[in-house]
Amino acid sequence: MKLVVARSAGFCFGVKRAINKAFEVAETEKNVFTLGPIIHNPQVIDALSKRGIGVADNISDLKKAGAKKVIIRTHGISLEDRNRLEDEGFELMDLTCPYVQKAQRYAKLLKDEGYQVVILGDIEHPEVIGLKSYAGKEAWVVKDSEGLPKEIKNRAGLVVQTTQPVDELKKLVSRMIEQTRELKVYNTICSSTALKLKETEEVAGGVDIMLVAGGRNSANTTQLARLCENLSVPTHHIETADELKEQWFRGAGKVGLTAGASTPDWIIEDIIKVLKGYGRT
Ligand code: SF4
């Protein structure tokens, strides 16, 4: 029995940077909170909470909890929330991923240049809520090319939520070309997401069973699990090694393992250790 682990399994660059800095600040400072969970992984949130980093859902809760320093998570926050935090006197530790910051800058640039901004993404995702605040009141958020409104102006600009699939961007661009006279496109898709999907697909294509590790509330991990299921490979989405069941692996020649961008190495290592215990690697 053989275990094949996707090379890109686990933390991406932006998450690794944010989590390392959050653990560092926990060593030296008190009354530090994140506005919303720093990443979508309950085990990491729990580990940070044990070191004194709390989570507040909104600015009122930050005030009630007596927060001094506020960590801005990798997805970023809206301009309104940032201004309010500054006005309220909180010290900000901005851990927005540099790729998300770049998308925010492009959204603002398009708005300032007078383009009608279109954002390809999930309207409820915190990253998109943040992007929209930079793109101005007239900005549209569309989840796919079908959602493009007819009322779009002749001069339009497009930015993309960093985790969107490139195929959806291509479809939207070709539809927007038909509806506009001038179109400016910033491809702000993060290559780490595309690489993870590609590698997961490669691993899943050659194994009998796939394990996808990561938070059930992580969009990225869920996307990986859905991809494997769509390839008709028996797939188990687990958060930790405790959920593994030995009977899943009976008769399996090769087992594949991948993990979302918010899954820490220690969870991946624990899973590998348990699988080794089954004699599957
Ligand atoms: S997936 Fe990409 S954009 Fe998102 S946090 Fe990771 S590196 Fe940054």
Side-chain angles (χ1 to χ4, degrees), residues 226-237:
R226 211 174 303 131
L227 170 75
C228 299
E229 282 159 9
N230 289 343
L231 292 168
S232 303
V233 190
T235 301
H236 298 280
H237 178 172

Side-chain angles (χ1 to χ4, degrees), residues 12-15 74-75 97-100 127 162-163 190-193 261:
C12 61
F13 149 78
V15 168
T74 52
H75 297 139
C97 176
Y99 298 136
V100 175
E127 180 187 328
T162 51
T163 46
C190 163
S191 57
S192 123
T193 307

Side-chain angles (χ1 to χ4, degrees), residues 107-182:
K108 181 173 183 311
L109 187 66
L110 287 169
K111 182 200 76 176
D112 292 346
E113 289 176 344
Y115 290 91
Q116 162 141 50
V117 185
V118 175
I119 301 164
L120 173 62
D122 170 1
I123 197 164
E124 288 178 2
H125 193 283
E127 180 187 328
V128 175
I129 294 169
L131 278 180
K132 194 165 183 286
S133 71
Y134 287 86
K137 289 198 169 57
E138 292 199 330
W140 289 92
V141 178
V142 297
K143 72 173 179 8
D144 52 32
S145 56
E146 303 296 317
L148 187 69
K150 291 207 173 43
E151 304 89 328
I152 208 81
K153 287 186 179 167
N154 275 334
R155 281 185 89 227
L158 179 60
V159 287
V160 193
Q161 181 183 357
T162 51
T163 46
Q164 287 292 306
V166 75
D167 286 347
E168 207 47 67
L169 172 62
K170 286 182 192 164
K171 279 193 234 164
L172 181 59
V173 169
S174 67
R175 188 168 264 231
M176 285 183 78
I177 286 170
E178 289 168 11
Q179 284 187 227
T180 55
R181 289 193 181 276
E182 185 183 336

Side-chain angles (χ1 to χ4, degrees), residues 13-202:
F13 149 78
V15 168
K16 196 180 284 177
R17 168 181 172 272
I19 297 301
N20 287 346
K21 289 192 178 177
F23 276 107
E24 260 170 43
V25 79
E27 295 288 316
T28 53
E29 297 195 38
K30 292 204 181 326
N31 300 321
V32 183
F33 282 76
T34 61
L35 184 56
I38 189 165
I39 54 170
H40 289 142
N41 185 279
Q43 291 72 33
V44 173
I45 304 300
D46 192 42
L48 278 170
S49 135
K50 286 185 178 129
R51 285 167 178 79
I53 307 271
V55 181
D57 289 333
N58 51 52
I59 297 174
S60 312
D61 286 352
L62 283 170
K63 287 205 278 192
K64 276 186 223 150
K68 281 202 175 124
K69 182 171 264 189
V70 178
I71 293 176
I72 297 178
R73 56 194 176 165
T74 52
H75 297 139
I77 55 171
S78 71
L79 205 48
E80 294 77 24
D81 278 349
R82 179 181 291 271
N83 291 340
R84 211 178 133 203
L85 285 168
E86 283 172 354
D87 292 347
E88 300 274 2
F90 292 110
E91 194 187 327
L92 301 188
M93 182 177 186
D94 189 356
L95 299 184
T96 308
C97 176
Y99 298 136
V100 175
Q101 285 176 340
K102 198 196 269 182
Q104 291 173 343
R105 280 198 300 275
Y106 285 142
K108 181 173 183 311
L109 187 66
L110 287 169
K111 182 200 76 176
D112 292 346
E113 289 176 344
Y115 290 91
Q116 162 141 50
V117 185
V118 175
I119 301 164
L120 173 62
D122 170 1
I123 197 164
E124 288 178 2
H125 193 283
E127 180 187 328
V128 175
I129 294 169
L131 278 180
K132 194 165 183 286
S133 71
Y134 287 86
K137 289 198 169 57
E138 292 199 330
W140 289 92
V141 178
V142 297
K143 72 173 179 8
D144 52 32
S145 56
E146 303 296 317
L148 187 69
K150 291 207 173 43
E151 304 89 328
I152 208 81
K153 287 186 179 167
N154 275 334
R155 281 185 89 227
L158 179 60
V159 287
V160 193
Q161 181 183 357
T162 51
T163 46
Q164 287 292 306
V166 75
D167 286 347
E168 207 47 67
L169 172 62
K170 286 182 192 164
K171 279 193 234 164
L172 181 59
V173 169
S174 67
R175 188 168 264 231
M176 285 183 78
I177 286 170
E178 289 168 11
Q179 284 187 227
T180 55
R181 289 193 181 276
E182 185 183 336
L183 176 64
K184 202 164 187 177
V185 179
Y186 287 108
N187 177 358
T188 46
I189 295 174
C190 163
S191 57
S192 123
T193 307
L195 177 70
K196 204 179 274 291
L197 286 165
K198 183 171 167 277
E199 285 185 5
T200 296
E201 190 169 2
E202 282 166 9

Side-chain angles (χ1 to χ4, degrees), residues 217-281:
N217 56 347
S218 154
N220 171 250
T221 312
T222 312
Q223 192 182 19
L224 294 176
R226 211 174 303 131
L227 170 75
C228 299
E229 282 159 9
N230 289 343
L231 292 168
S232 303
V233 190
T235 301
H236 298 280
H237 178 172
I238 54 171
E239 285 195 349
T240 66
D242 294 345
E243 296 171 44
L244 289 167
K245 292 191 171 54
E246 193 166 0
Q247 64 264 32
W248 291 347
F249 307 98
R250 283 194 197 119
K254 271 190 183 176
V255 176
L257 173 62
T258 190
S262 51
T263 311
D265 284 351
W266 83 73
I267 286 183
I268 299 171
E269 283 156 15
D270 280 355
I271 292 169
I272 294 174
K273 214 181 291 167
V274 172
L275 291 174
K276 279 188 174 160
Y278 296 160
R280 302 292 182 203
T281 62

